[in-house]
Amino acid sequence: MATLLIVHHTPSPSLQAMFEAVVSGATDPEIEGVDVVRRPALSATASDVLGADGIVLGTPANLGYMSGALKHFFDTVYYPCLDATRSLPFGYYVHGNEGVEGAQKAITTVTTGLGWQQATAPVTVMGEPGKDDLAACWELGATSAAHLME
């Protein structure tokens, strides 16, 4: 069975709604043969990443950067996963109130260094997530999981 790992930092109702939509998409009954594992960014480990066949990252944009929690996750897993996870497919979602470009650039920089392959378009949301934003998060989860179906 394939494993989709969702690593998230969810400190607000907006991010909780986005996270729940991603999980809902990834666990849709039509998706078979994919185990969806959820880990808060501060507790995700290199073992979690090494056991994953794909990953979805979720973060707020804080002061023009990804959250400290997601940065900590990357600091923890970078070298233990550097060689073993090359070409790992990933996607991500970012929520911000005053711009998400810095967070996107930071995620791209680290994932490029790891050699991960972006498998889905990122979902970026400014302000309160609307119906279309949550649908995009659902699609991110569903697409990420569907790519792993055998």
Side-chain angles (χ1 to χ4, degrees):
M1 181 174 284
T3 299
L4 176 64
L5 175 64
I6 302 173
V7 176
H8 63 100
H9 183 59
T10 307
S12 70
S14 293
L15 273 158
Q16 183 67 34
M18 293 171 71
F19 169 69
E20 289 174 3
V22 169
V23 170
S24 178
T27 58
D28 185 275
E30 292 187 32
I31 295 172
E32 298 176 353
V34 179
D35 184 28
V36 179
V37 176
R38 308 152 187 88
R39 293 284 186 268
L42 290 174
S43 63
T45 66
S47 294
D48 292 323
V49 176
L50 292 168
D53 300 292
I55 191 164
V56 174
L57 306 165
T59 185
N62 292 334
L63 304 171
Y65 197 69
M66 68 178 129
S67 70
L70 192 63
K71 172 69 166 70
H72 173 77
F73 162 74
F74 280 132
D75 288 345
T76 302
V77 306
Y78 192 89
Y79 283 107
C81 296
L82 184 58
D83 289 325
T85 63
R86 293 220 177 265
S87 300
L88 183 72
F90 80 98
Y92 68 89
Y93 61 95
V94 180
H95 175 265
N97 289 317
E98 295 184 20
V100 297
E101 300 82 11
Q104 288 184 272
K105 182 177 180 192
I107 291 168
T108 299
T109 298
V110 176
T111 55
T112 298
L114 284 164
W116 293 1
Q117 300 298 311
Q118 191 166 338
T120 60
V123 176
T124 59
V125 177
M126 296 290 295
E128 185 79 22
K131 183 178 178 181
D132 290 344
D133 299 320
L134 296 177
C137 288
W138 187 96
E139 190 65 36
L140 171 64
T143 302
S144 297
H147 281 293
L148 303 178
M149 289 175 56
E150 298 171 351

